[in-house]
Amino acid sequence: MNLLIRLPLKCSTIYLLTIYCLFTLFFISPLYCANITLNSSMGYNSNPASEPESKGALFADTGICLEESFPFYDTVKLNLASSFNYQVLEALPDNHQIVADLSISPLKQGNRYTPYIFSTIGFYRDSLVTSDRRNSFSFGAGVETILSSRYTFIFESSWKHIKYLEDSPPTFLPPEQKNKYQNGQKSESDPFSQPVQIDDEVTSTNTMSNQFQQIYDARNDNAFTVNMMLNLFISPSVTLSTGLAFEHLASSLDMESYTQITPALQCYWTINDKWQINLGGWFEMRRFYNINEMPPENEYQMIQGGANFQDFTIREDNNTFSVNMRLYYFPDAPFHIITDYSLLNGQYPVDEESYRERIIQCGISWSF
């Protein structure tokens, strides 16, 4: 109950949400009324910070989604959607996200091939994991193909730019050292803060700190993604969807650049007019580049400061596995009830990056 009470007391949230709704309603189309969906849920997250040593917390989500489709110049159809979501965590900092989507497709229906282009703008702010605060922009194109009465195939490719707003601590440091570099700050007890003797000269604390800060400034990422999805309509009530995604990310911080392959499987089963269940999962295989690269002068200073450089070798191949189950209940009302369970498990060569996260939540979705 405390979580639900905290949500309406967030004055800044109400202000942002009000401006956002007015802007969206007027910007999308003055001649069409947008479809509005309100979402509210509560649940438990066993590891909201995705850390090796999990600390669970109750949470409450509230959000709004506005979407509309309308013809443009009698040749194409514009699909506009935007969403705002705010999450409150018990005894932990909150987070919120704003996303706006635009897609354009041919107005005529019934074609075997339906091409489309799309673009997305996103803003994410997290007060718990401040290094995740970011702005993003993407655009891409795709085509949906009807192979037969039972099969459809979707192929799309996109480019995404991500701008992080906060400096990140060095990812190769052990947890106890990584925390001391959070937001560019150093602790007086940090062994690297002691003067280091190099070639009969003393390197000061500020010099070492500035070098790490200069290397690990807030980064910019550019990601190129290819997605393929095959939908199989087994029966009027059962749909099976299989997907394969390839992503190459080039980061301004070399050690964050990677190539990733993600196979996925999802099953949608409409039990009857009251119940629907979705089961699925995906497996993410990520390989990082430049995993051991470091300017020679920094490597030398760390060794002279008493650090064993072999202890700072970071991850190369990271594997993440996720399963999820979602249950829908549709009462004789304008809303439906959603119960969701998901498990995310990241097993990495570097222990301080491995984590496990479970999320259980239940909420309502009201459309009008």
Side-chain angles (χ1 to χ4, degrees), residues 247-304:
E247 179 181 2
H248 174 75
L249 183 141
S251 176
S252 59
L253 181 58
D254 289 340
M255 67 173 62
E256 296 296 335
S257 299
Y258 62 80
T259 294
Q260 175 178 294
I261 298 177
T262 308
L265 179 66
Q266 196 80 21
C267 180
Y268 306 89
W269 179 25
T270 302
I271 303 174
N272 51 44
D273 59 350
K274 297 289 186 181
W275 296 92
Q276 178 181 317
I277 186 171
N278 297 348
L279 301 171
W282 50 263
F283 183 68
E284 181 180 276
M285 296 170 286
R286 177 180 298 183
R287 164 158 287 196
F288 286 86
Y289 298 112
N290 304 315
I291 59 172
N292 292 322
E293 288 190 1
M294 177 183 294
E297 63 274 12
N298 283 0
E299 177 183 340
Y300 181 70
Q301 288 176 356
M302 291 173 62
I303 296 175
Q304 291 295 315

Side-chain angles (χ1 to χ4, degrees), residues 337-357:
I337 301 173
I338 304 173
T339 302
D340 187 88
Y341 171 82
S342 61
L343 169 65
L344 188 64
N345 190 6
Q347 294 297 324
Y348 307 146
V350 180
D351 292 338
E352 57 265 24
E353 292 192 351
S354 300
Y355 67 95
R356 175 171 292 190
E357 181 179 358

Side-chain angles (χ1 to χ4, degrees), residues 84-286:
F84 176 90
N85 187 81
Y86 200 101
Q87 183 179 78
V88 172
L89 294 164
E90 183 65 26
L92 293 173
D94 309 333
N95 63 75
H96 64 275
Q97 180 173 256
I98 297 176
V99 178
D101 298 291
L102 165 67
S103 65
I104 302 175
S105 58
L107 184 60
K108 294 182 179 181
Q109 300 296 326
N111 294 332
R112 184 175 179 181
Y113 302 96
T114 304
Y116 58 89
I117 59 175
F118 60 90
S119 180
T120 301
I121 299 176
F123 307 92
Y124 179 75
R125 301 294 182 268
D126 194 334
S127 299
L128 175 61
V129 185
T130 57
S131 58
D132 280 348
R133 296 177 181 177
R134 60 189 181 271
N135 300 331
S136 63
F137 169 76
S138 67
F139 67 87
V143 60
E144 182 177 358
T145 304
I146 300 176
L147 300 177
S148 69
S149 60
R150 286 196 170 188
Y151 296 92
T152 61
F153 178 73
I154 299 175
F155 176 89
E156 69 178 36
S157 179
S158 64
W159 173 86
K160 185 176 185 178
H161 177 75
I162 307 170
K163 169 64 178 177
Y164 287 88
L165 307 182
E166 302 287 340
D167 297 336
S168 299
T171 54
F172 57 82
L173 291 178
E176 63 272 13
Q177 298 299 330
K178 188 182 297 184
N179 295 334
K180 297 172 184 178
Y181 285 88
Q182 186 70 32
N183 297 325
Q185 301 298 320
K186 293 192 66 175
S187 169
E188 294 298 330
S189 61
D190 189 346
F192 293 140
S193 66
Q194 304 300 322
V196 179
Q197 188 75 26
I198 300 178
D199 295 335
D200 299 327
E201 296 181 1
V202 177
T203 301
S204 66
T205 298
N206 291 336
T207 302
M208 292 291 290
S209 178
N210 290 338
Q211 287 175 340
F212 278 110
Q213 186 67 25
Q214 182 179 0
I215 297 173
Y216 297 100
D217 287 340
R219 69 183 194 266
N220 297 310
D221 293 349
N222 293 302
F224 174 74
T225 305
V226 174
N227 290 307
M228 294 174 287
M229 181 179 298
L230 179 66
N231 297 320
L232 170 61
F233 303 97
I234 300 176
S235 70
S237 61
V238 179
T239 301
L240 186 65
S241 177
T242 61
L244 181 65
F246 170 84
E247 179 181 2
H248 174 75
L249 183 141
S251 176
S252 59
L253 181 58
D254 289 340
M255 67 173 62
E256 296 296 335
S257 299
Y258 62 80
T259 294
Q260 175 178 294
I261 298 177
T262 308
L265 179 66
Q266 196 80 21
C267 180
Y268 306 89
W269 179 25
T270 302
I271 303 174
N272 51 44
D273 59 350
K274 297 289 186 181
W275 296 92
Q276 178 181 317
I277 186 171
N278 297 348
L279 301 171
W282 50 263
F283 183 68
E284 181 180 276
M285 296 170 286
R286 177 180 298 183

